[in-house]
PDB file of all heavy atoms in Angstrom:
ATOM      1  N   SER K  31      -9.352 -52.052  66.234  1.00  0.00           N
ATOM      2  CA  SER K  31      -9.997 -53.001  67.125  1.00  0.00           C
ATOM      3  C   SER K  31      -9.202 -54.303  67.196  1.00  0.00           C
ATOM      4  O   SER K  31      -8.644 -54.787  66.188  1.00  0.00           O
ATOM      5  CB  SER K  31     -11.411 -53.331  66.603  1.00  0.00           C
ATOM      6  OG  SER K  31     -12.187 -52.179  66.611  1.00  0.00           O
ATOM      7  N   SER K  32      -9.108 -54.845  68.346  1.00  0.00           N
ATOM      8  CA  SER K  32      -8.385 -56.114  68.516  1.00  0.00           C
ATOM      9  C   SER K  32      -9.096 -57.236  67.786  1.00  0.00           C
ATOM     10  O   SER K  32     -10.278 -57.375  67.815  1.00  0.00           O
ATOM     11  CB  SER K  32      -8.265 -56.457  70.000  1.00  0.00           C
ATOM     12  OG  SER K  32      -7.639 -57.718  70.165  1.00  0.00           O
ATOM     13  N   THR K  33      -8.303 -58.036  67.064  1.00  0.00           N
ATOM     14  CA  THR K  33      -8.930 -59.149  66.326  1.00  0.00           C
ATOM     15  C   THR K  33      -8.728 -60.503  67.058  1.00  0.00           C
ATOM     16  O   THR K  33      -9.057 -61.519  66.520  1.00  0.00           O
ATOM     17  CB  THR K  33      -8.259 -59.263  64.936  1.00  0.00           C
ATOM     18  OG1 THR K  33      -6.837 -59.422  65.112  1.00  0.00           O
ATOM     19  CG2 THR K  33      -8.501 -57.973  64.124  1.00  0.00           C
ATOM     20  N   THR K  34      -8.227 -60.422  68.255  1.00  0.00           N
ATOM     21  CA  THR K  34      -8.023 -61.680  68.980  1.00  0.00           C
ATOM     22  C   THR K  34      -8.128 -61.468  70.479  1.00  0.00           C
ATOM     23  O   THR K  34      -7.893 -60.343  70.964  1.00  0.00           O
ATOM     24  CB  THR K  34      -6.620 -62.245  68.638  1.00  0.00           C
ATOM     25  OG1 THR K  34      -6.380 -63.387  69.475  1.00  0.00           O
ATOM     26  CG2 THR K  34      -5.527 -61.252  68.936  1.00  0.00           C
ATOM     27  N   GLU K  35      -8.469 -62.491  71.189  1.00  0.00           N
ATOM     28  CA  GLU K  35      -8.542 -62.386  72.627  1.00  0.00           C
ATOM     29  C   GLU K  35      -7.133 -62.470  73.274  1.00  0.00           C
ATOM     30  O   GLU K  35      -6.958 -62.136  74.413  1.00  0.00           O
ATOM     31  CB  GLU K  35      -9.443 -63.469  73.196  1.00  0.00           C
ATOM     32  CG  GLU K  35     -10.907 -63.266  72.784  1.00  0.00           C
ATOM     33  CD  GLU K  35     -11.806 -64.342  73.404  1.00  0.00           C
ATOM     34  OE1 GLU K  35     -11.259 -65.214  74.125  1.00  0.00           O
ATOM     35  OE2 GLU K  35     -13.027 -64.305  73.170  1.00  0.00           O
ATOM     36  N   ASN K  36      -6.169 -62.975  72.565  1.00  0.00           N
ATOM     37  CA  ASN K  36      -4.829 -63.082  73.042  1.00  0.00           C
ATOM     38  C   ASN K  36      -4.152 -61.714  72.894  1.00  0.00           C
ATOM     39  O   ASN K  36      -3.729 -61.329  71.777  1.00  0.00           O
ATOM     40  CB  ASN K  36      -4.058 -64.138  72.272  1.00  0.00           C
ATOM     41  CG  ASN K  36      -2.634 -64.355  72.796  1.00  0.00           C
ATOM     42  OD1 ASN K  36      -2.148 -63.553  73.608  1.00  0.00           O
ATOM     43  ND2 ASN K  36      -1.993 -65.398  72.349  1.00  0.00           N
ATOM     44  N   LYS K  37      -4.043 -60.949  73.954  1.00  0.00           N
ATOM     45  CA  LYS K  37      -3.532 -59.613  73.903  1.00  0.00           C
ATOM     46  C   LYS K  37      -2.025 -59.528  73.633  1.00  0.00           C
ATOM     47  O   LYS K  37      -1.483 -58.461  73.443  1.00  0.00           O
ATOM     48  CB  LYS K  37      -3.852 -58.866  75.209  1.00  0.00           C
ATOM     49  CG  LYS K  37      -5.370 -58.690  75.413  1.00  0.00           C
ATOM     50  CD  LYS K  37      -5.988 -57.922  74.245  1.00  0.00           C
ATOM     51  CE  LYS K  37      -7.482 -57.721  74.480  1.00  0.00           C
ATOM     52  NZ  LYS K  37      -8.104 -56.985  73.371  1.00  0.00           N
ATOM     53  N   ASN K  38      -1.346 -60.682  73.651  1.00  0.00           N
ATOM     54  CA  ASN K  38       0.069 -60.683  73.300  1.00  0.00           C
ATOM     55  C   ASN K  38       0.314 -61.058  71.827  1.00  0.00           C
ATOM     56  O   ASN K  38       1.440 -61.166  71.391  1.00  0.00           O
ATOM     57  CB  ASN K  38       0.856 -61.640  74.206  1.00  0.00           C
ATOM     58  CG  ASN K  38       1.005 -61.106  75.619  1.00  0.00           C
ATOM     59  OD1 ASN K  38       0.068 -61.178  76.380  1.00  0.00           O
ATOM     60  ND2 ASN K  38       2.164 -60.580  75.928  1.00  0.00           N
ATOM     61  N   LEU K  39      -0.755 -61.334  71.125  1.00  0.00           N
ATOM     62  CA  LEU K  39      -0.656 -61.801  69.746  1.00  0.00           C
ATOM     63  C   LEU K  39      -0.673 -60.599  68.790  1.00  0.00           C
ATOM     64  O   LEU K  39      -1.634 -59.810  68.795  1.00  0.00           O
ATOM     65  CB  LEU K  39      -1.786 -62.745  69.397  1.00  0.00           C
ATOM     66  CG  LEU K  39      -1.631 -63.485  68.034  1.00  0.00           C
ATOM     67  CD1 LEU K  39      -0.450 -64.381  68.069  1.00  0.00           C
ATOM     68  CD2 LEU K  39      -2.903 -64.273  67.745  1.00  0.00           C
ATOM     69  N   LEU K  40       0.380 -60.428  68.003  1.00  0.00           N
ATOM     70  CA  LEU K  40       0.471 -59.350  67.045  1.00  0.00           C
ATOM     71  C   LEU K  40       0.208 -59.894  65.644  1.00  0.00           C
ATOM     72  O   LEU K  40       0.806 -60.917  65.248  1.00  0.00           O
ATOM     73  CB  LEU K  40       1.864 -58.723  67.088  1.00  0.00           C
ATOM     74  CG  LEU K  40       2.164 -57.644  66.061  1.00  0.00           C
ATOM     75  CD1 LEU K  40       1.364 -56.373  66.384  1.00  0.00           C
ATOM     76  CD2 LEU K  40       3.647 -57.347  66.017  1.00  0.00           C
ATOM     77  N   ASN K  41      -0.680 -59.264  64.906  1.00  0.00           N
ATOM     78  CA  ASN K  41      -0.905 -59.602  63.510  1.00  0.00           C
ATOM     79  C   ASN K  41       0.057 -58.789  62.652  1.00  0.00           C
ATOM     80  O   ASN K  41       0.102 -57.557  62.773  1.00  0.00           O
ATOM     81  CB  ASN K  41      -2.351 -59.269  63.102  1.00  0.00           C
ATOM     82  CG  ASN K  41      -3.350 -60.208  63.740  1.00  0.00           C
ATOM     83  OD1 ASN K  41      -3.485 -61.348  63.296  1.00  0.00           O
ATOM     84  ND2 ASN K  41      -4.021 -59.786  64.815  1.00  0.00           N
ATOM     85  N   VAL K  42       0.764 -59.456  61.790  1.00  0.00           N
ATOM     86  CA  VAL K  42       1.769 -58.859  60.924  1.00  0.00           C
ATOM     87  C   VAL K  42       1.318 -58.881  59.483  1.00  0.00           C
ATOM     88  O   VAL K  42       1.021 -59.960  58.967  1.00  0.00           O
ATOM     89  CB  VAL K  42       3.153 -59.526  61.078  1.00  0.00           C
ATOM     90  CG1 VAL K  42       4.166 -58.860  60.209  1.00  0.00           C
ATOM     91  CG2 VAL K  42       3.569 -59.512  62.544  1.00  0.00           C
ATOM     92  N   LYS K  99      -4.395 -65.039  55.026  1.00  0.00           N
ATOM     93  CA  LYS K  99      -5.764 -64.598  55.277  1.00  0.00           C
ATOM     94  C   LYS K  99      -5.825 -63.063  55.258  1.00  0.00           C
ATOM     95  O   LYS K  99      -4.830 -62.361  55.353  1.00  0.00           O
ATOM     96  CB  LYS K  99      -6.265 -65.073  56.620  1.00  0.00           C
ATOM     97  CG  LYS K  99      -5.513 -64.407  57.811  1.00  0.00           C
ATOM     98  CD  LYS K  99      -6.054 -64.954  59.141  1.00  0.00           C
ATOM     99  CE  LYS K  99      -5.306 -64.276  60.309  1.00  0.00           C
ATOM    100  NZ  LYS K  99      -5.789 -64.782  61.614  1.00  0.00           N
ATOM    101  N   VAL K 110      -1.124 -62.126  55.890  1.00  0.00           N
ATOM    102  CA  VAL K 110      -1.057 -61.806  57.312  1.00  0.00           C
ATOM    103  C   VAL K 110      -0.370 -62.934  58.042  1.00  0.00           C
ATOM    104  O   VAL K 110      -0.597 -64.119  57.783  1.00  0.00           O
ATOM    105  CB  VAL K 110      -2.467 -61.597  57.912  1.00  0.00           C
ATOM    106  CG1 VAL K 110      -2.351 -61.284  59.412  1.00  0.00           C
ATOM    107  CG2 VAL K 110      -3.182 -60.443  57.222  1.00  0.00           C
ATOM    108  N   GLY K 111       0.511 -62.559  58.972  1.00  0.00           N
ATOM    109  CA  GLY K 111       1.144 -63.533  59.839  1.00  0.00           C
ATOM    110  C   GLY K 111       0.903 -63.158  61.289  1.00  0.00           C
ATOM    111  O   GLY K 111       0.398 -62.094  61.578  1.00  0.00           O
ATOM    112  N   THR K 112       1.244 -64.004  62.183  1.00  0.00           N
ATOM    113  CA  THR K 112       1.080 -63.737  63.615  1.00  0.00           C
ATOM    114  C   THR K 112       2.342 -64.059  64.363  1.00  0.00           C
ATOM    115  O   THR K 112       3.140 -64.898  63.950  1.00  0.00           O
ATOM    116  CB  THR K 112      -0.075 -64.540  64.223  1.00  0.00           C
ATOM    117  OG1 THR K 112       0.149 -65.929  63.996  1.00  0.00           O
ATOM    118  CG2 THR K 112      -1.401 -64.156  63.586  1.00  0.00           C
ATOM    119  N   VAL K 113       2.542 -63.331  65.495  1.00  0.00           N
ATOM    120  CA  VAL K 113       3.705 -63.585  66.329  1.00  0.00           C
ATOM    121  C   VAL K 113       3.331 -63.138  67.762  1.00  0.00           C
ATOM    122  O   VAL K 113       2.622 -62.154  67.944  1.00  0.00           O
ATOM    123  CB  VAL K 113       4.929 -62.825  65.787  1.00  0.00           C
ATOM    124  CG1 VAL K 113       4.717 -61.317  65.866  1.00  0.00           C
ATOM    125  CG2 VAL K 113       6.197 -63.209  66.553  1.00  0.00           C
ATOM    126  N   ASN K 114       3.833 -63.835  68.749  1.00  0.00           N
ATOM    127  CA  ASN K 114       3.624 -63.415  70.126  1.00  0.00           C
ATOM    128  C   ASN K 114       4.740 -62.504  70.564  1.00  0.00           C
ATOM    129  O   ASN K 114       5.918 -62.772  70.329  1.00  0.00           O
ATOM    130  CB  ASN K 114       3.618 -64.655  71.058  1.00  0.00           C
ATOM    131  CG  ASN K 114       2.237 -65.314  71.078  1.00  0.00           C
ATOM    132  OD1 ASN K 114       1.280 -64.781  71.624  1.00  0.00           O
ATOM    133  ND2 ASN K 114       2.123 -66.483  70.446  1.00  0.00           N
ATOM    134  N   ILE K 115       4.377 -61.372  71.180  1.00  0.00           N
ATOM    135  CA  ILE K 115       5.326 -60.442  71.695  1.00  0.00           C
ATOM    136  C   ILE K 115       5.306 -60.462  73.210  1.00  0.00           C
ATOM    137  O   ILE K 115       4.322 -60.890  73.835  1.00  0.00           O
ATOM    138  CB  ILE K 115       5.072 -59.009  71.148  1.00  0.00           C
ATOM    139  CG1 ILE K 115       3.712 -58.512  71.608  1.00  0.00           C
ATOM    140  CG2 ILE K 115       5.169 -58.985  69.648  1.00  0.00           C
ATOM    141  CD1 ILE K 115       3.433 -57.096  71.254  1.00  0.00           C
ATOM    142  N   PRO K 116       6.357 -59.998  73.882  1.00  0.00           N
ATOM    143  CA  PRO K 116       6.491 -60.188  75.337  1.00  0.00           C
ATOM    144  C   PRO K 116       5.611 -59.324  76.190  1.00  0.00           C
ATOM    145  O   PRO K 116       5.377 -59.617  77.364  1.00  0.00           O
ATOM    146  CB  PRO K 116       7.977 -59.862  75.612  1.00  0.00           C
ATOM    147  CG  PRO K 116       8.373 -59.001  74.476  1.00  0.00           C
ATOM    148  CD  PRO K 116       7.601 -59.493  73.278  1.00  0.00           C
ATOM    149  N   ALA K 117       5.033 -58.233  75.685  1.00  0.00           N
ATOM    150  CA  ALA K 117       4.174 -57.337  76.479  1.00  0.00           C
ATOM    151  C   ALA K 117       3.222 -56.643  75.569  1.00  0.00           C
ATOM    152  O   ALA K 117       3.674 -56.072  74.538  1.00  0.00           O
ATOM    153  CB  ALA K 117       4.995 -56.387  77.314  1.00  0.00           C
ATOM    154  N   GLU K 118       1.931 -56.595  75.903  1.00  0.00           N
ATOM    155  CA  GLU K 118       0.979 -55.993  74.957  1.00  0.00           C
ATOM    156  C   GLU K 118       0.730 -54.530  75.258  1.00  0.00           C
ATOM    157  O   GLU K 118       0.452 -53.754  74.372  1.00  0.00           O
ATOM    158  CB  GLU K 118      -0.359 -56.763  74.980  1.00  0.00           C
ATOM    159  CG  GLU K 118      -1.306 -56.436  76.171  1.00  0.00           C
ATOM    160  CD  GLU K 118      -0.898 -57.097  77.470  1.00  0.00           C
ATOM    161  OE1 GLU K 118       0.167 -57.798  77.473  1.00  0.00           O
ATOM    162  OE2 GLU K 118      -1.588 -56.934  78.459  1.00  0.00           O
ATOM    163  N   PHE K 124       8.450 -51.432  65.438  1.00  0.00           N
ATOM    164  CA  PHE K 124       8.783 -52.741  64.888  1.00  0.00           C
ATOM    165  C   PHE K 124       9.528 -52.599  63.589  1.00  0.00           C
ATOM    166  O   PHE K 124       9.321 -51.677  62.804  1.00  0.00           O
ATOM    167  CB  PHE K 124       7.532 -53.566  64.615  1.00  0.00           C
ATOM    168  CG  PHE K 124       6.821 -54.065  65.844  1.00  0.00           C
ATOM    169  CD1 PHE K 124       5.528 -53.586  66.135  1.00  0.00           C
ATOM    170  CD2 PHE K 124       7.425 -54.979  66.722  1.00  0.00           C
ATOM    171  CE1 PHE K 124       4.867 -54.055  67.251  1.00  0.00           C
ATOM    172  CE2 PHE K 124       6.740 -55.401  67.861  1.00  0.00           C
ATOM    173  CZ  PHE K 124       5.448 -54.956  68.132  1.00  0.00           C
ATOM    174  N   VAL K 155       3.160 -49.392  66.511  1.00  0.00           N
ATOM    175  CA  VAL K 155       1.880 -49.916  66.898  1.00  0.00           C
ATOM    176  C   VAL K 155       1.594 -49.661  68.392  1.00  0.00           C
ATOM    177  O   VAL K 155       2.430 -49.913  69.216  1.00  0.00           O
ATOM    178  CB  VAL K 155       1.750 -51.420  66.625  1.00  0.00           C
ATOM    179  CG1 VAL K 155       0.376 -51.956  66.983  1.00  0.00           C
ATOM    180  CG2 VAL K 155       2.076 -51.743  65.159  1.00  0.00           C
ATOM    181  N   MET K 157      -0.097 -51.165  71.144  1.00  0.00           N
ATOM    182  CA  MET K 157      -0.690 -52.473  71.482  1.00  0.00           C
ATOM    183  C   MET K 157      -1.717 -52.380  72.590  1.00  0.00           C
ATOM    184  O   MET K 157      -2.281 -53.420  72.930  1.00  0.00           O
ATOM    185  CB  MET K 157       0.440 -53.449  71.861  1.00  0.00           C
ATOM    186  CG  MET K 157       1.287 -53.891  70.702  1.00  0.00           C
ATOM    187  SD  MET K 157       0.341 -54.890  69.499  1.00  0.00           S
ATOM    188  CE  MET K 157       0.081 -56.372  70.461  1.00  0.00           C
ATOM    189  N   GLY K 160      -4.630 -51.687  69.757  1.00  0.00           N
ATOM    190  CA  GLY K 160      -4.617 -52.372  68.479  1.00  0.00           C
ATOM    191  C   GLY K 160      -3.650 -53.547  68.473  1.00  0.00           C
ATOM    192  O   GLY K 160      -2.899 -53.752  69.423  1.00  0.00           O
ATOM    193  N   ASP K 161      -3.714 -54.336  67.416  1.00  0.00           N
ATOM    194  CA  ASP K 161      -2.800 -55.505  67.354  1.00  0.00           C
ATOM    195  C   ASP K 161      -2.387 -55.833  65.895  1.00  0.00           C
ATOM    196  O   ASP K 161      -2.106 -56.949  65.556  1.00  0.00           O
ATOM    197  CB  ASP K 161      -3.468 -56.726  68.002  1.00  0.00           C
ATOM    198  CG  ASP K 161      -4.765 -57.121  67.316  1.00  0.00           C
ATOM    199  OD1 ASP K 161      -5.125 -56.505  66.245  1.00  0.00           O
ATOM    200  OD2 ASP K 161      -5.465 -58.039  67.810  1.00  0.00           O
ATOM    201  N   VAL K 162      -2.350 -54.782  65.053  1.00  0.00           N
ATOM    202  CA  VAL K 162      -1.981 -55.009  63.645  1.00  0.00           C
ATOM    203  C   VAL K 162      -0.778 -54.141  63.308  1.00  0.00           C
ATOM    204  O   VAL K 162      -0.820 -52.906  63.488  1.00  0.00           O
ATOM    205  CB  VAL K 162      -3.151 -54.675  62.736  1.00  0.00           C
ATOM    206  CG1 VAL K 162      -2.740 -54.906  61.250  1.00  0.00           C
ATOM    207  CG2 VAL K 162      -4.375 -55.514  63.077  1.00  0.00           C
ATOM    208  N   ALA K 163       0.277 -54.787  62.797  1.00  0.00           N
ATOM    209  CA  ALA K 163       1.416 -54.025  62.297  1.00  0.00           C
ATOM    210  C   ALA K 163       1.475 -54.195  60.770  1.00  0.00           C
ATOM    211  O   ALA K 163       1.420 -55.297  60.283  1.00  0.00           O
ATOM    212  CB  ALA K 163       2.718 -54.566  62.919  1.00  0.00           C
TER     213      ALA K 163
END
Side-chain angles (χ1 to χ4, degrees):
S31 298
S32 176
T33 58
T34 175
E35 293 182 359
N36 183 348
K37 295 301 182 181
N38 288 78
L39 188 66
L40 175 71
N41 289 282
V42 181
K99 68 180 180 181
V110 178
T112 57
V113 63
N114 277 290
I115 61 175
E118 80 283 1
F124 290 115
V155 182
M157 287 295 290
D161 60 6
V162 180

